[in-house]
Amino acid sequence: MSRALSLCGLILAAGESSRMGAEKSLLPWPPVAPGQIPEGSFLSAAIRSLRPHTDLVLVVVGQNETNLAPIIYAHGADLVRNPDPSRGQFSSLQLGLHEILNRGRDAAMLTLVDRPPVSSDTIKLLRERFETAAQRWKWAVVPEYQGKHGHPIVLGRELLEAFLRAPATSNAREVEHTNQEHIEYVPIDDPLIAININTPEEYAALRQMMRSPQAADF
């Protein structure tokens, strides 16, 4: 009998949001027009989306810890602090993965806080596909939409350890490409997996997309 998957959610949220000009973790989700009261934020929505499908959720923060900690704890997640986020996103990833191993988990569902939270059906599908892919010696599943890779991705222990062995000057894409034969790419009809928000213009475009009639389909 195979051992049940021990999966930890991991959200990287330590960036400075310099191009946005405001903390991306706190952007309203779903997007609202100026003056409207938001239901939540990118961060709270990301935690809520991962919690039903994982054993626990970790959020890596940086200098924004004071602003994000109340949201993290209020939604049942735990915090990991990157003391020097200027080293780049890969440093946050390695810190988060170390903490996952320290907590006795052997797989991660990873996303970035500037990615809109995807549907519960998408997350459930990715978890199921990872469980079957692991039986074929795959180390991870990565969603793709119209040929674009996205998030969340599910990492097994083998790829998790590959990230941790990589030099601090590496990036996640390099490690992924080096181990591409061990990764299964999963086409998903969910455009949100391939969107990331870095600027006010991109957030405005996302708000417009979410107001379109097609938004009800994802």
Side-chain angles (χ1 to χ4, degrees):
M1 181 179 295
S2 62
R3 184 164 58 93
L5 178 64
S6 180
L7 186 62
C8 179
L10 180 62
I11 303 168
L12 304 186
E16 294 182 353
S17 305
S18 56
R19 285 193 285 166
M20 177 62 67
E23 175 60 59
K24 288 188 287 187
S25 300
L26 304 181
L27 288 173
W29 183 264
V32 296
Q36 292 183 319
I37 299 176
E39 296 177 19
S41 64
F42 267 46
L43 176 57
S44 64
I47 296 170
R48 289 197 306 269
S49 71
L50 293 180
R51 280 198 66 199
H53 307 280
T54 58
D55 296 343
L56 72 154
V57 177
L58 301 177
V59 182
V60 182
V61 302
Q63 303 303 320
N64 51 7
E65 177 181 4
T66 300
N67 290 330
L68 303 192
I71 298 172
I72 293 168
Y73 295 131
H75 289 84
D78 287 342
L79 180 152
V80 179
R81 188 176 189 275
N82 185 343
D84 187 10
S86 66
R87 294 178 298 161
Q89 189 179 84
F90 196 68
S91 68
S92 292
L93 174 60
Q94 289 186 317
L95 282 168
L97 296 180
H98 271 299
E99 185 64 19
I100 286 171
L101 292 181
N102 288 341
R103 297 195 181 212
R105 271 63 182 188
D106 53 16
M109 180 168 281
L110 166 69
T111 193
L112 313 178
V113 80
D114 59 8
R115 300 270 181 166
V118 299
S119 70
S120 178
D121 287 344
T122 293
I123 293 178
K124 182 180 179 182
L125 174 61
L126 289 171
R127 180 180 173 121
E128 291 172 349
R129 288 294 294 269
F130 176 76
E131 291 176 333
T132 58
Q135 298 173 13
R136 300 191 302 276
W137 304 105
K138 295 294 185 178
W139 296 356
V141 296
V142 176
E144 61 179 17
Y145 176 75
Q146 296 183 352
K148 295 181 179 180
H149 298 163
H151 286 73
I153 66 176
V154 188
L155 309 173
R157 179 144 191 150
E158 297 86 352
L159 192 58
L160 189 154
E161 291 180 345
F163 279 121
L164 292 176
R165 288 194 302 269
T169 54
S170 299
N171 61 58
R173 183 170 295 180
E174 290 172 353
V175 178
E176 180 183 328
H177 286 177
T178 300
N179 297 280
Q180 201 157 18
E181 71 274 16
H182 298 294
I183 298 174
E184 181 166 307
Y185 297 93
V186 181
I188 292 182
D189 189 21
D190 184 346
L192 294 181
I193 68 161
I195 293 175
N196 65 306
I197 304 300
N198 289 306
T199 66
E201 292 77 17
E202 290 171 346
Y203 183 63
L206 176 63
R207 182 192 298 123
Q208 186 62 35
M209 185 183 82
M210 296 301 295
R211 293 173 62 185
S212 70
Q214 292 79 14
D217 297 330
F218 50 85

